Amino acid sequence: SVAAEGVLDYQHFVVDPQWDEDKYIVSSEARPDKRGVVHHILVFVIPPGEDRRDFRQVLAGYAPGSPPMEFEDGLAIEVKAGSKLLFEMHYTPNGSATDDLSYVGFRFTDKENVRKRVRGRAAIDQDFVIPPNAAKHKVTADYVVKHDENLLSLTPHMHLRGKSFRYDAHFPDGRTETVLNVPNYDFNWQLKYVLDTPLNLPKGTRIRCTAVFDNSKYNLTNPDPSQSVKWGDQSFEEMMIGFMDTVPVQDNL
């Protein structure tokens, strides 16, 4: 139930799909029931025997403009038997009380059809502080490649003060390549950027994510430029995450 007014904390719902065998997911789609109040949906995995989500393993997500997740060419996400699903729901009251029943759908394949398992990666900084009235506050976070892998997609995530976001790859041989540059980040259109050709990331490659926040009065979506801003779930707080999907260079099944 979503109230007509006020600020609603993130809602978390644990669902047991009763999967008694390992699942190999090749496509997924989260759909809101009441689009007017659902800001976003994220569906995470809670591995068997664990009591908390695997932050890197997102099975499905919804935000305005986001397409379904689809894999081809023998790629899939493996979910172990006995896993549970965690729905993270962000609701924004719009003046009318309503009930929402959002949902998610999956398409599976058999294990023998899978060549490589897709892995979720992320560069995150949860310790930043954005000063009051700062128009171009920079925050960086790194992800270091531990085994040779190929980069499939990138999804930058910030909130209302997000101004720009960039992914730069620093290779072991000294080369640097800008993989994705989003110069005008828009909180209302959070997109996953899928590479036409997977990018090879040798072991030791460092992906540096650079986020710039506008906490000034000139940012018309800024809730309050006079406040310092830290990490938080709500839209009037901030986040800095560079999500990525990768697959290993060598077949892993």
Side-chain angles (χ1 to χ4, degrees), residues 185-245:
Y185 179 84
D186 188 342
F187 180 62
N188 295 305
W189 291 95
Q190 299 182 44
L191 303 178
K192 172 178 283 193
Y193 297 84
V194 180
L195 301 179
D196 284 338
T197 303
L199 177 65
N200 180 247
L201 303 177
K203 177 182 177 181
T205 300
R206 177 168 53 89
I207 302 293
R208 165 149 291 191
C209 292
T210 303
V212 177
F213 297 90
D214 184 355
N215 194 25
S216 74
K217 64 181 181 180
Y218 300 105
N219 176 3
L220 300 182
T221 64
N222 191 351
D224 187 352
S226 68
Q227 297 296 314
S228 295
V229 185
K230 298 181 180 180
W231 175 281
D233 287 341
Q234 295 297 333
S235 298
F236 57 79
E237 299 168 311
E238 272 301 337
M239 286 189 176
M240 190 286 185
I241 310 174
F243 289 111
M244 293 163 273
D245 286 328

Side-chain angles (χ1 to χ4, degrees), residues 165-180:
F165 203 103
R166 195 175 75 245
Y167 292 75
D168 292 309
H170 299 267
F171 296 98
D173 63 4
R175 291 180 300 119
T176 299
E177 178 180 344
T178 298
V179 184
L180 176 67

Side-chain angles (χ1 to χ4, degrees), residues 66-202:
S66 58
M69 180 186 72
E70 296 182 282
F71 295 117
E72 299 177 347
D73 300 325
L75 305 184
I77 295 177
E78 180 187 46
V79 181
K80 291 297 186 180
S83 294
K84 295 180 181 179
L85 306 180
L86 175 73
F87 280 72
E88 178 185 282
M89 304 294 305
H90 183 186
Y91 293 106
T92 52
N94 66 357
S96 299
T98 187
D99 290 337
D100 172 71
L101 187 61
S102 294
Y103 55 104
V104 65
F106 301 106
R107 186 162 61 88
F108 307 107
T109 191
D110 294 329
K111 181 177 180 179
E112 53 265 30
N113 298 327
V114 181
R115 292 189 303 107
K116 296 181 181 180
R117 291 172 289 183
V118 177
R119 304 293 193 188
R121 311 297 191 189
I124 305 174
D125 184 340
Q126 294 180 289
D127 299 321
F128 60 82
V129 179
I130 305 171
N133 304 304
K136 295 181 180 180
H137 183 76
K138 184 184 298 185
V139 178
T140 62
D142 292 347
Y143 163 69
V144 178
V145 177
K146 295 181 180 179
H147 304 281
D148 293 357
E149 58 189 5
N150 290 325
L151 179 64
L152 303 179
S153 66
L154 311 100
T155 308
H157 180 69
M158 299 184 287
H159 289 172
L160 293 170
R161 296 170 179 83
K163 182 180 180 69
S164 66
F165 203 103
R166 195 175 75 245
Y167 292 75
D168 292 309
H170 299 267
F171 296 98
D173 63 4
R175 291 180 300 119
T176 299
E177 178 180 344
T178 298
V179 184
L180 176 67
N181 183 26
V182 181
N184 295 297
Y185 179 84
D186 188 342
F187 180 62
N188 295 305
W189 291 95
Q190 299 182 44
L191 303 178
K192 172 178 283 193
Y193 297 84
V194 180
L195 301 179
D196 284 338
T197 303
L199 177 65
N200 180 247
L201 303 177

